[in-house]
Amino acid sequence: MSRSAASATRVVTANWDDPNVFGIDGYTAAGGYEGLRAALGMTPADVIDAVKTSGLRGRGGAGFPTGVKWSFVPQDTGKPTYVVANFDESEPGTFNNREIVEREPHRFLEGMAIAAYAVQSHLAFVYCRGEFLWPGEILEAAVRDAYGKGVFGDSVLGSGYALEVVIHRGAGAYICGEETALLSSLEGFRGQPRLRPPFPAVEGLYASPTLINNVETLANVPSILTEGPEWFAAIGTEKSPGTKVFSVSGKVERPGNYEAPMGTTLRTLLDEHAGGVLAGRRLKAWTPGGSSTQMLTEEHLDVPLDFESVAAAGSLLGTGAIIVMDETDCIVEATRRLVQFYAHESCGKCTPCREGTWWVSRVLARIQQGYGRSEDLPLLDELGENILFKAFCALADGAVSPIQSSLKYFRDEYETHIAERRCPFTGQGPGRGPGLEAEAGLREVLT
């Protein structure tokens, strides 16, 4: 199939027009679990090779080749091998995994079972975000139904291969979306990142070989087995094959999840899916991969949304979470709110992250509330440099992204805040609104 012919293909959301695929009977009637049957008729090595050939890359942010990641899991170590599905979807602006589970939970479970067979694991964990009460209940019911139909248990679909599944609910920590922090939490410890190496594939859960993939990545796998890896590889771009479920939110007419081939532009997503910028206003800024990725501008509307093109434009595709800001939005305030989130969610293990995000949020609040000083801008630059790449995990790097990109593209807004001693969008400043200076004890922090 040519790339042009495959451009309209939906993979993960292909069955969403059929509400019956929510349940196991409807999912099976629509061809569900045929990918797992096909995998069970192959050797584990052949399954891994098929995923490699497809070119599927992780949809959780880093974009690492999925089949290669599976091949890193060693065999015959004398230890059990585990599979962990990362359903701790906590990146601001990201909500595709949640809808995948809510619409078609068995597609995800089937992909997880195929991954487990490929690495010869007999115990799989689903780490579910603590706030996902309803999706968690959906998964619990889906797992029960899968056991009842022989999908899980002592003999998966009568093959003799055994697989048990456990759903583990997290406690609402953003940091547990990071693989090693997730493993620590799963083991019952405080969710904090670990030094790597050793990598989870070799020494992960309970110091044993562990494969970790997120929900969307695993939801792609069944179609690769049923339609063929070449079919999947023909969609999207050469280096970023397949489709992506983009979460579009913010100032758009129709927020939601939209699946499109890798390489689709934001202009296409806005015009053909999300209904354009809200109220016909002008696009000002947007994030291609959630709040932890560098902001882009109207100049980047036609950048192909794939891993390589977005990186070349100076950002990251990340989770494909597109947050749209229009001409009425204050970039300084948006940056402050994003950095405040990371300051709150920092696990505190690394000093540059723990202290740096706290101080940056204070400096940004000072500027926003009309107490900014000219030396604050080089101070923000310096603070960002002292945080970036100085911590165990990427949370600190994510906190720096909105700082650096907002200063790069919207430095004039910061300068206006400082010169006029107020926010030009809200009018807020000393004596011009509630402001943080009205809160007891905080004026000293701001000044």
Side-chain angles (χ1 to χ4, degrees):
M1 180 183 294
S2 67
R3 292 190 185 278
S4 59
S7 62
T9 302
R10 289 192 300 168
V11 180
V12 175
T13 68
N15 296 329
W16 282 12
D17 295 332
D18 179 5
N20 295 318
V21 297
F22 175 82
I24 192 167
D25 291 334
Y27 180 68
T28 303
Y33 289 113
E34 289 304 312
L36 178 57
R37 291 185 187 277
L40 293 170
M42 304 161 63
T43 67
D46 286 342
V47 175
I48 293 175
D49 285 342
V51 177
K52 282 184 179 179
T53 301
S54 74
L56 173 65
R57 298 173 63 173
R59 301 305 197 238
F64 193 82
T66 303
V68 175
K69 189 175 187 178
W70 291 11
S71 70
F72 286 164
V73 179
Q75 301 295 318
D76 302 321
T77 63
K79 298 179 180 180
T81 299
Y82 300 108
V83 166
V84 177
N86 187 346
F87 188 34
D88 190 66
E89 185 180 43
S90 49
E91 175 75 11
T94 311
F95 46 92
N96 47 21
N97 289 355
R98 183 185 68 188
E99 190 167 11
I100 290 169
V101 168
E102 289 178 343
R103 291 282 199 111
E104 198 174 10
H106 290 281
R107 169 177 281 275
F108 153 59
L109 293 177
E110 181 180 7
M112 185 176 66
I114 294 170
Y117 174 74
V119 299
Q120 287 297 281
S121 170
H122 299 285
L123 179 57
F125 293 88
V126 179
Y127 190 98
C128 179
R129 182 181 179 187
E131 292 90 341
F132 283 171
L133 178 62
W134 173 238
E137 291 179 351
I138 288 174
L139 274 181
E140 289 173 355
V143 169
R144 285 196 301 269
D145 290 343
Y147 268 104
K149 296 290 186 178
V151 173
F152 302 137
D154 294 335
S155 181
V156 173
L157 297 179
S159 66
Y161 163 68
L163 177 63
E164 303 297 330
V165 176
V166 175
I167 297 177
H168 179 95
R169 291 180 181 267
Y174 171 82
I175 190 64
C176 289
E178 195 274 338
E179 288 187 351
T180 61
L182 183 155
L183 294 176
S184 294
S185 175
L186 194 53
E187 291 175 355
F189 299 104
R190 183 174 181 174
Q192 290 188 323
R194 304 174 181 176
L195 183 64
R196 293 182 284 186
F199 292 94
V202 177
E203 190 173 313
L205 187 64
Y206 307 124
S208 299
T210 305
L211 173 66
I212 308 174
N213 284 130
N214 87 324
V215 168
E216 186 184 355
T217 304
L218 295 171
N220 277 279
V221 173
S223 294
I224 292 173
L225 271 294
T226 56
E227 304 296 330
E230 293 80 9
W231 168 84
F232 187 88
I235 307 170
T237 69
E238 182 178 355
K239 293 184 178 180
S240 296
T243 62
K244 181 76 185 75
V245 181
F246 294 97
S247 298
V248 185
S249 64
K251 297 297 183 64
V252 294
E253 291 288 349
R254 294 193 298 271
N257 288 312
Y258 302 103
E259 185 174 15
M262 284 282 202
T264 300
T265 65
L266 177 63
R267 188 185 300 276
T268 299
L269 281 178
L270 287 177
D271 292 346
E272 298 184 9
H273 299 285
V277 179
L278 189 66
R281 299 190 186 112
R282 183 176 179 179
L283 175 70
K284 183 175 186 177
W286 57 286
T287 67
S291 64
S292 63
T293 59
Q294 298 262 352
M295 296 179 192
L296 296 177
T297 68
E298 187 180 33
E299 297 176 2
H300 303 99
L301 267 170
D302 294 311
V303 170
L305 294 173
D306 58 67
F307 293 106
E308 290 73 30
S309 300
V310 175
S315 189
L316 296 170
L317 184 63
T319 58
I322 297 170
I323 304 172
V324 175
M325 289 167 267
D326 69 19
E327 57 192 339
T328 66
D329 288 313
C330 173
I331 295 297
V332 177
E333 173 62 8
T335 303
R336 183 191 71 81
R337 290 174 66 88
L338 292 176
V339 174
Q340 190 176 45
F341 168 81
Y342 289 106
H344 178 269
E345 292 295 336
S346 173
C347 73
K349 182 170 185 173
C350 307
T351 302
C353 178
R354 180 185 68 245
E355 300 297 324
T357 55
W358 189 90
W359 279 109
V360 169
S361 66
R362 265 61 187 172
V363 174
L364 289 168
R366 181 165 68 206
I367 296 172
Q368 175 65 13
Q369 298 302 324
Y371 292 102
R373 303 171 296 201
S374 59
E375 58 265 34
D376 284 341
L377 299 189
L379 177 59
L380 285 173
D381 287 325
E382 182 181 355
L383 285 169
E385 290 297 324
N386 287 329
I387 297 171
L388 190 64
F389 306 136
K390 305 294 194 305
F392 267 67
C393 78
L395 186 148
D397 306 336
V400 174
S401 290
I403 303 167
Q404 290 186 334
S405 56
S406 63
L407 285 170
K408 177 180 179 180
Y409 296 114
F410 303 100
R411 202 177 191 91
D412 59 326
E413 282 197 21
Y414 285 90
E415 293 170 345
T416 300
H417 277 74
I418 293 170
E420 298 184 4
R421 299 196 66 207
R422 68 182 183 89
C423 173
F425 296 91
T426 65
Q428 196 170 40
R432 297 187 181 93
L436 292 178
E437 74 277 11
E439 299 181 18
L442 282 181
R443 182 164 185 167
E444 290 77 9
V445 175
L446 290 171
T447 55

